[in-house]
Amino acid sequence: MSLISIVVPCYNEEESLPLFYQAILEMKSSLPEVDFEFIFVNDGSKDNTLKIMRSLAQQDANVHYVSFSRNFGKEAALLAGLAHAQGDYVAVMDADLQDPPALLPEMYETLQTKMYDCVATRRVTRAGEPPIRSFFARMFYKLINKISKTEIVDGARDFRLMTRQMVNAILSVQEYNRFSKGIFGWVGFRTKWLEYKNIERAAGQTKWSFWKLFVYSLDGITAFSTVPLSVAAVMGMLFCFLAFAMLIFVFVRALIWGDPVGGWPSLVCIILFVGGIQLFCTGILGQYLSKTYLEVKRRPQYIIQETEKDYLDKTE
């Protein structure tokens, strides 16, 4: 009998977690030949998320959890969940039920054909999202696919079901600055995409603000493309060429018309513009340098404070 591990990163999901657990139990009847295990990852929640995980672990031996010492971010939670999953197949899902559990039977049956190593999902609509967020999300996917050799599908969700071989490949990528959507594509393997319409959260509030999504997109760009570095170099050469051309123009004009160079306001504007470009290019270099700095320190991606084994041993 096959075992499917369901990895669920959680941050302040006390309202959604019981609903998610019940939804998976209802879905299990569609796959009687499969066993399930839950791998909940508490990413430093400040509500009763950990308390609910403890309760579920007490009543169901198939529920396992990992609780961090603080909030390390969703990427760290995904990594921890994959590292603790024991299943022949591993599913990554969100607790808010925006990833419909009803798709799991179809995903499992697809992998049984041996034609694919992963079945992933993508949203074909962004109904319910603020228009400005949807616009920038589409622009991000267009940009990253133009400047990166790793394909990242527009609307791709983390929700996917993977074979053990693919999960092991993902775990072998031990970089500190992780961008899972890119890593899923970088490791390769045959992937089938399932499309579905956007689903609203079952409960609770989204933890992703516009600013957090913007920073996350920068992480993705710096993790899977060095094109911005080339852009900085090209802009430097372009401005050197423009400066040389303007020098010749001013020299020739002075020789022919004897017109002294004037206009300090325009000069100030040019200086500010060029200074801005220099700071922009320096910022690009700083982004890559900061990522390198974090990598070479070799800090762990997360620190575990408690697991269900620790809790159950204390209560016995």
Side-chain angles (χ1 to χ4, degrees), residues 254-299:
L255 286 178
I256 297 176
W257 291 286
D259 185 26
V261 178
W264 69 268
S266 58
L267 180 61
V268 170
C269 291
I270 293 172
I271 292 175
L272 290 176
F273 177 68
V274 175
I277 294 297
Q278 289 175 329
L279 290 175
F280 174 73
C281 295
T282 303
I284 292 176
L285 296 173
Q287 280 290 316
Y288 284 91
L289 182 60
S290 67
K291 301 302 180 185
T292 305
Y293 172 66
L294 291 173
E295 289 288 346
V296 298
K297 287 199 292 186
R298 305 299 299 170
R299 287 179 179 173

Side-chain angles (χ1 to χ4, degrees), residues 72-230:
F72 284 89
K74 186 176 181 180
E75 292 295 334
L78 280 175
L79 179 62
L82 294 177
H84 284 78
Q86 300 297 317
D88 307 295
Y89 303 94
V90 180
V92 176
M93 304 181 70
D94 287 340
D96 56 17
L97 290 178
Q98 285 190 294
D99 300 331
L103 292 179
L104 280 173
E106 180 181 356
M107 298 165 80
Y108 175 75
E109 294 300 329
T110 299
L111 292 185
Q112 294 310 294
T113 64
K114 306 300 181 182
M115 296 176 60
Y116 299 97
D117 303 288
C118 172
V119 181
T121 60
R122 63 179 295 265
R123 296 181 296 180
V124 293
T125 66
R126 292 182 176 273
E129 281 191 357
I132 188 68
R133 178 183 293 186
S134 298
F135 171 77
F136 279 104
R138 288 192 295 269
M139 292 302 102
F140 165 74
Y141 284 111
K142 288 182 180 180
L143 175 62
I144 192 68
N145 283 309
K146 285 185 177 180
I147 66 177
S148 173
K149 295 180 180 179
T150 301
E151 182 184 9
I152 302 178
V153 177
D154 187 0
R157 297 279 297 175
D158 290 328
F159 180 28
R160 60 188 61 220
L161 182 64
M162 301 170 284
T163 61
R164 169 51 54 181
Q165 183 183 16
M166 182 171 176
V167 172
N168 290 339
I170 293 170
L171 291 174
S172 70
V173 181
Q174 285 296 312
E175 58 194 49
Y176 182 84
N177 302 283
R178 301 182 69 83
F179 183 72
S180 290
K181 284 186 173 67
I183 294 175
F184 291 148
W186 184 86
V187 296
F189 296 95
R190 299 161 298 178
T191 300
K192 179 178 180 179
W193 290 93
L194 294 181
E195 298 180 348
Y196 71 97
K197 295 182 179 180
N198 188 46
I199 300 174
E200 295 289 334
R201 287 180 61 95
Q205 299 293 325
T206 180
K207 314 306 183 299
W208 289 94
S209 64
F210 181 83
W211 175 250
K212 288 183 178 179
L213 289 172
F214 175 72
V215 173
Y216 187 57
S217 67
L218 290 181
D219 289 340
I221 291 172
T222 54
F224 286 93
S225 177
T226 57
V227 170
L229 291 173
S230 301

Side-chain angles (χ1 to χ4, degrees), residues 229-268:
L229 291 173
S230 301
V231 170
V234 169
M235 293 180 72
M237 290 188 292
L238 176 62
F239 274 88
C240 286
F241 173 78
L242 288 176
F244 182 73
M246 289 299 296
L247 180 64
I248 294 176
F249 170 76
V250 171
F251 180 74
V252 171
R253 190 175 72 168
L255 286 178
I256 297 176
W257 291 286
D259 185 26
V261 178
W264 69 268
S266 58
L267 180 61
V268 170

